[in-house]
Every structure is written in C-alpha cells, then in structure tokens.
Amino acid sequence: MSDVIKPLRVSNDAINDAEELQRRIAEEGYLFFKQLQNPDKLWALRKEMMSAIQEVGWLIAGTDPLDGIADVSKQCTEGDNEYHEGYGAAYRLENFHRSAHWPEVTDVIEKIAGKPIMPHPHKVARVWFPKYTEHTTPTHQDFVHFQGNFETLTCWAPVGDCPQELGGLAVIPGSHKVGRVLDHHFSLGAGSLFVKPEEHEEIDPVWHSTDYEIGDSLIFPALTIHKALPNNTEDRLRLSLDNRYQAVGDTIADHMLEPHGPSGLSWEEIYADWKSDELKYYWKNYDNPVVPKDMSFSEKGFEEALELARTGNDQAIFRLHRTVKNEPESDMAEKARGVLAEIEG
Ligand SMILES: O=C(O)CCC(=O)C(=O)O
Ligand SMILES: [Fe+2]
C-alpha cells in the first residue's frame, strides 16, 4: 500500500448536472466540491462554535477563537465524559444545527439522491485536539455507525481551513463498490471500529484527500471507506461537520433521531436557548420507517478489545479503562473490570 495521498477530483463543473453527479458518485464513491458552502457563513459559525469551546477552557484564554489555539492539557475525545463539556457547548448552538439545512448543501444532496431528502437530526461535529493521534477516526464505512440504508449520504466539511496536517478526511475511491458492510475490528479511534481494506482483494487501497479550504465539502455514501488524517499540528483544534442525509421514505435507525451521544445532551437541553422553533423536532413531519440500532458492530468491536487486552495490547487496555471510567454502570464496564482484574491482578 502506498502512503502517498492523491488529490480529490473536484466536481464543481458538474454541480448543476444531476445525472453526471449520480454517474460520478456511482463510479468513484465520493463527490468533492470547492466552496460548496458559503465561507462567510462558515466563518460566522466557526466564531460561535470556537467561542463556546473557548469558554469551557479548551482554547487558550485571550487568543482569537477563530485561530482555534488549543489548550493541549485538555485533550479528550468521544467516549470521555470530559468531552461533553466542550462538544456540548458547541452542539447546543442553533446555527450549528441549521448549517446542515443550508440550501447550498441540501440542493446538491437532492440532485445526487435524485429525490427529496431529509437531513438527519443526529448532527455531528468533530472537535479534534492536536497531538492526540492514536484516537484519530480510523478507516471505516459509515454504515456501521449510522445504519439505516446504504444510500445515506455523509457531507464532511471543515469549519475553517483544514490543511492535511490538521487532519482532514481521506477516502478510497471506488471502495463503495464492495457492496456490503465489511468486517470491522476494535480501534481506539473515534467510533471504535476499523476496517482493513488490504484484507479485501477487490479494493485498491489508494487514499485521496486535499488541503481543504473553508467551504469545501466531501460527500459520500455509507459504504465508501474513509478515515481522518491525524492532527499533527502543534496546537490547533480541528473543527469539522459531518452531517447525514437520506431520501424521504428510506429507512432510518432510531439513534439518528437522537442527538449525537458525545454531546451528553437531550433535545430539550439543546433547544433551551434557540430563537426559532422551525427546526425543533422537524423530522416528526416525515414518515420514514424507523428501525432499532443494530448493536452487533460495536459489540463485536468491544469483544475484540476484551480479547486483545488479555494479550497485553495497550490500546485495548486503554479502551477498557476508558469504559470503566466513563460508563461504570454498563455491562461493558462489568466485563472490562473482569478482564482488567485478570491481567492487572
Ligand atoms: O472527522 C472525522 O474525524 C470523522 C468523520 C467521518 O468519519 C465522517 O464524516 O463520516
Ligand atoms: Fe465516517
């Protein structure tokens, strides 16, 4: 496998040609647009989100929030209870939720889907600390996390410029053509699950990414293999959005109607300071079939962590400690305590 990252193909030339967009995404498993989103609106959103994050102390006090200069001693990530504070502060913002409904995004998603679409209520932002690279989002297919149906589209976009060293998203073009959910394994990175593309002959594991500028957006379906690049900067937080869209009438998994868990918030807590009611519980106007979340992917990953911990794997041991600390009452924590007692005596 080559470590060289190749450029993403830019599809702005076809932005008004639904058929060509559909042809390209069917062939390559992604569409990348320069400045699909309005930079001024995104800078304003960055200011709001980063200011909220600064207020909880994750950015150095007195610095310009737009610079995103992290207090590295506050490092934490999804799965840590400490993460609720900064992520929750940004997650409560009305404009953050509204950004997933901006017509510049939904119009192009609708062209790609060829049908009316609904943005998922479960919005996601990533607040990524520097030099925290072993927790980076690993290689995966989104279906294991978001489920519902294979046609669900993710739109990933940085809220700010995101050169490669800040850890933007990378994809393997054509990888969606495997046509199925591949076996995912335990990972310490966000989402806790990773796939090994080199285990599958039909996939040519060539990675494509770019030095993202604000407004740039990457859109891909649920089977495309992708990962985040590590945030190797000295002191900058990476802030990005990954929102999901489905055709109206398609199946949705029940957790996608709930807030993103790492925010630690309920809808009522999120809505507390909103000025408008328009987007509150908007999905109740749609009649999409709802299915329960399939827990088998995460359960399998956790069982692997238990096994690996028994063999002395440091990342798996770290994961078990994280579970015991953050979800002490869960069944997983019960199992984790058992294995930790075996190995640590
Ligand atoms: O931004 C990240 O770290 C992960 C994003 C991702 O996996 C996605 O957008 O589906
Ligand atoms: Fe993903």
Side-chain angles (χ1 to χ4, degrees), residues 34 44 51 56 69 76 124 129 165 176 203 221 223 228 256 291 320 340:
K34 294 294 296 174
S51 298
V56 307
I69 302 175
C76 59
V124 179
F129 277 90
E165 62 157 350
H176 65 303
I203 296 169
L223 293 181
M256 300 309 285
V291 294
L320 299 195
L340 289 169

Side-chain angles (χ1 to χ4, degrees), residues 5 18 38 43 100 162 177 188 197 199 214 238 268 273 280 298-299 305 310 343:
I5 306 258
N38 179 316
W43 282 121
C162 186
K177 288 186 181 166
L188 194 53
E199 277 181 355
I214 193 160
R238 186 248 293 179
E268 283 307 306
D273 298 328
K280 294 182 182 170
S298 54
E299 282 168 4
R310 285 198 176 95
I343 59 179

Side-chain angles (χ1 to χ4, degrees), residues 126 137 140-142 145-146 154 169 220 226 242 244:
R126 311 283 175 173
T137 308
H140 66 282
Q141 295 169 305
D142 268 359
H145 301 302
F146 304 108
T154 292
L169 215 70
F220 53 93
H226 61 284
D242 47 287
R244 294 177 174 79

Side-chain angles (χ1 to χ4, degrees), residues 4 12 23 37 92 123 169 187 193 201 209 233 235 259:
V4 176
N12 290 58
R23 199 194 61 72
Q37 305 186 49
R92 296 175 71 250
K123 315 292 193 269
L169 215 70
S187 164
L193 291 171
E201 267 178 10
S209 187
T233 63
D235 60 1

